[in-house]
Amino acid sequence: MVSRRKFLAVIAAVAGFASFKRRVAAQEPVEGYDWNRHKYAFVVDTTRCIGCGRCVRACKIENEVPMKPFYFRTWVERWVWLKDEEGPKVDSPNGGFDGFPPTYDERMISKSYYVPKLCNHCDRPPCVQVCPVGATYKTKDGVVLVDEKYCIGCRYCIQACPYGARYLYPADGPRETRRNTADKCTWCYHRITRGYKPACVEVCPVGARKFGDLMDPEDEVRKIIEERRVQVLKPDMGTLPQVYYIELDSEVR
Amino acid sequence: MSEILWQILQHVQGYIYPNEVEVNWSVLIALYPYITGLVAGAFIVASLERIFKVEAVKPTYRLALLTALAFLLCAPLPLVAHLGHPERALEIMMTPHLSSAMAGFGFVYAWYLMAVLLIELYFDYRRDIVMWSQEVGGIKGFIYKILTLGDYNISDEAVKADNKIVNIVTVIGLPSAAFLHGYVGFIFGSVKANHWWSSPLMPIIFLFSAMVSGIALVLLIYIASSYIRGVELDRACTDTLANYLLYAYLLDLSLEFMELAHLFYTQEEGIDAIRVLITDKLFWTFIVIQVFLGTLVPIFLLILARTGIFRFNVRKWIYIFVTTLTLIGVFAMRWNVVIGGQLISKTYLGYTTYIMPLFGPESLSLALAIWILPFIILAVLIKLLPPWEHPHEWEKTETE
Ligand code: SF4
Ligand code: SF4
């Protein structure tokens, strides 16, 4: 198992940025797109993720997220349970951007897994509730977006998100119009409204990230949510997240 | 900013979400509830006299009102300075998103400033202003003429009517002041994602600590201004204010204790992280400054002063010491809530650090400048509207 993961990780690392080609310029949804006819959801399969970090790199490039280790629209965590130790060990060096160095002695590990994280596009999003000017809003197709032309940069939404999914786009970030406003994962709204998958889903070499439309009866994601046992993060917060995890450990939050 | 984040990254402990390195609400946001608290507290001191007819504190009535105004004028400064896009600040009133607790700020603020404080001050000072406008010439006289708003009627009836208005406005003002600050507490208390904030007690705790800080501020300014003017302190007034400070403290202490007791008794998720937060990360600002120096020592000294074993001259120094400690302690409380709540990760598995820049936006120097400004405004206000010249005007007309 471990060796397969390592093998894939190496392949993925080699593939790196270069393989990620189908880039769409970040912009508004295409004309003719009808958001009443979609309801999106995201599935993360924690049994598959190998921690290669391709998704993190793809996201940063696709969405002009600053390359510094404080700003992430998505990141990957490594959860490790060591023998004879009570709590888990968690890390996410640079958000998993460069993959994960083998930190632990493998003989001491009782279980370990990677958990990709992103905005949960909550159905009851606290970030939307608290935004004083309505710059953060939920679209009809289920995506939570920030209007960078409207956001005043008060950062209330960053405080309100229980998942650490938001950050303030820095004053020296590459995308000028977004500077000093709240930023977060958009499920690559500019891509999905054109029928593409989000960048992270597209590049995942093992299919650990899946994106789909709940209004489409043939959709893989819809079937997974209907047929398999899935779990969301911090369900007790009452936020009704729309990112579903397959085989999530209850400790993960 | 980024350089500081690199530095902070070295100090991160345990596991935090990668976006949590930066403490998003900085020293300015700690200053904001501190200043609004002083406003609410000072107004409550003024109301004590008006509504509850506490004769002894009369000499501080107008002083307290002016203090409230000076600080209220500065209350939005830290907020606006902190915004990523200050030029869009007014959107919060033009297109408010009403489900947001923060969207109400502009309205609560405007209501309190326009409908309460300014009206109360105007009608309380009206007669004096009219008289000054006739006595004084030059620019100052011109300002008085404007301040009369064209109403020069100071017949007994008119002054009596003024008084009635002031009384009514005070009755409206007291809950408004409470609301202004309780509301600030709600902004924090309603963030369910943060265990250190999320508590229905938060608005009430904010309110009582506001009273503590407001009384202390008025008392200290009263002592200092008397000294500057070379006037004897009114003993009854000083002692009474100190007594109110003590009562407010006792209520505040019990509320804060209840909050902590609840936190530790219910032992909800994240309690271990909070324990570390208090005993390690916030040891100095919480245990030493807020609880010990900022609460227990003042309470002890105030009780001691009350026993009457000291002469007034000694008591005066105790009050100066106590009020200074109080002002520091209450700021520490705001700091511990605002900054402390962001040091603890929403993973409950780690902590970040806060490094305050000395210069630039959201820095120590900017916070200090905003903190000093109300005192300058107060000095100007006092020059313009001396609060001591005719301190008992309204009361005389009532008894006449
Ligand atoms: S995960 Fe956070 S940012 Fe995303 S919708 Fe929920 S509260 Fe908002
Ligand atoms: S930072 Fe922007 S998006 Fe977030 S709550 Fe403030 S105005 Fe809304």
Side-chain angles (χ1 to χ4, degrees), chain B residues 149-170:
Chain B
L149 301 184
D151 183 358
Y152 289 89
N153 180 359
I154 46 171
S155 64
D156 278 357
E157 261 104 79
V159 173
K160 238 182 224 154
D162 288 354
N163 249 318
K164 260 207 198 104
I165 295 176
V166 174
N167 282 336
I168 292 169
V169 173
T170 314

Side-chain angles (χ1 to χ4, degrees), chain B residues 122 125-134 141-153:
Chain B
Y122 171 72
Y125 269 99
R126 205 181 63 82
R127 174 174 158 173
D128 294 337
I129 291 174
V130 170
M131 279 155 60
W132 288 326
S133 74
Q134 285 154 2
F142 182 66
I143 296 177
Y144 288 134
K145 287 211 173 72
I146 294 177
L147 288 181
T148 59
L149 301 184
D151 183 358
Y152 289 89
N153 180 359

Side-chain angles (χ1 to χ4, degrees), chain A residues 118-122 125-128 144 160-166 184 239:
Chain A
L118 63 156
C119 167
N120 290 283
H121 296 273
C122 310
C127 56
V128 172
V144 174
C161 172
Y163 307 99
R166 289 171 164 261
K184 62 180 278 299
T239 51

Side-chain angles (χ1 to χ4, degrees), chain B residues 83-155:
Chain B
L83 289 184
H85 281 275
E87 79 283 2
R88 298 178 190 165
L90 279 182
E91 293 295 345
I92 211 170
M93 292 182 82
M94 314 296 279
T95 54
H97 181 236
L98 294 176
S99 72
S100 166
M102 197 185 276
F105 173 76
F107 300 106
V108 175
Y109 177 82
W111 162 261
Y112 188 65
L113 177 70
M114 310 290 190
V116 176
L117 211 44
L118 289 183
I119 294 185
E120 177 157 352
L121 273 164
Y122 171 72
F123 284 106
D124 188 69
Y125 269 99
R126 205 181 63 82
R127 174 174 158 173
D128 294 337
I129 291 174
V130 170
M131 279 155 60
W132 288 326
S133 74
Q134 285 154 2
E135 292 161 10
V136 189
I139 298 179
K140 216 172 164 192
F142 182 66
I143 296 177
Y144 288 134
K145 287 211 173 72
I146 294 177
L147 288 181
T148 59
L149 301 184
D151 183 358
Y152 289 89
N153 180 359
I154 46 171
S155 64

Side-chain angles (χ1 to χ4, degrees), chain A residues 127 130-136 145-147 150-158 166 168 180-182, chain B residues 83 100 102:
Chain A
C127 56
V130 302
C131 178
V133 294
T136 288
L145 298 176
V146 185
D147 185 340
Y150 229 74
C151 168
I152 59 176
C154 69
R155 289 161 255 186
Y156 202 8
C157 57
I158 302 178
R166 289 171 164 261
L168 191 80
N180 286 323
T181 65
Chain B
L83 289 184
S100 166
M102 197 185 276

